[in-house]
Amino acid sequence: MIEVLAIALGAAIGAPSRFILDHWMIAHAPTKRFPWSLLLVNTLGSAIAGVAFALTTGNLRVFLLIGLCGSLTTFSGFGWEMHQLWARSRATFAIALVVMTASSIAAFLLLYLLLRS
């Protein structure tokens, strides 16, 4: 039961954070043609996940990985944005797909490896 509460609390923080970051990035993005807010939340969430995986265990890990990162990052948003990009510009779609995937993996691995060594 404690794990469920930890997940719920993490999600209660992650979901509004995603909303706030999304709106901030939309207002400050260099261009509207690229899904900058999605890149931000997924890279940030992956970085937090790398830290959490390297440094935590138990309920704190569940809170951070499943609750916070699970609600901060989004594959549904990723799917929607990619669909929109495909319809508008296949070149931008390809670039976004590579950049978002690489940045998320790199953020996780970099922080995980730095903190585990």
Side-chain angles (χ1 to χ4, degrees):
M1 186 62 168
I2 297 295
E3 285 183 331
V4 173
L5 293 173
I7 292 166
L9 180 59
I13 295 167
S17 297
R18 175 175 166 49
F19 180 81
I20 291 165
L21 287 169
D22 185 56
H23 281 74
W24 181 85
M25 184 53 85
I26 288 171
H28 295 89
T31 177
K32 304 294 184 206
R33 296 179 51 96
F34 189 85
W36 295 103
S37 60
L38 190 63
L39 176 64
L40 172 67
V41 296
N42 285 340
T43 303
L44 178 62
S46 295
I48 294 168
V51 171
F53 198 69
L55 300 179
T56 66
T57 60
N59 290 330
L60 181 56
R61 183 180 274 182
V62 168
F63 164 80
L64 290 170
L65 288 175
I66 300 171
L68 181 73
C69 294
S71 63
L72 178 64
T73 62
T74 175
F75 272 102
S76 59
F78 181 76
W80 172 252
E81 292 285 350
M82 291 298 103
H83 169 72
Q84 296 299 310
L85 283 176
W86 181 262
R88 288 193 315 257
S89 168
R90 289 182 177 49
T92 305
F93 167 85
I95 292 166
L97 186 61
V98 170
V99 168
M100 281 194 235
T101 304
S103 70
S104 293
I105 293 169
F108 177 88
L109 286 176
L110 177 68
L111 287 164
Y112 174 75
L113 293 173
L114 283 172
L115 295 169
R116 291 297 289 193
S117 50

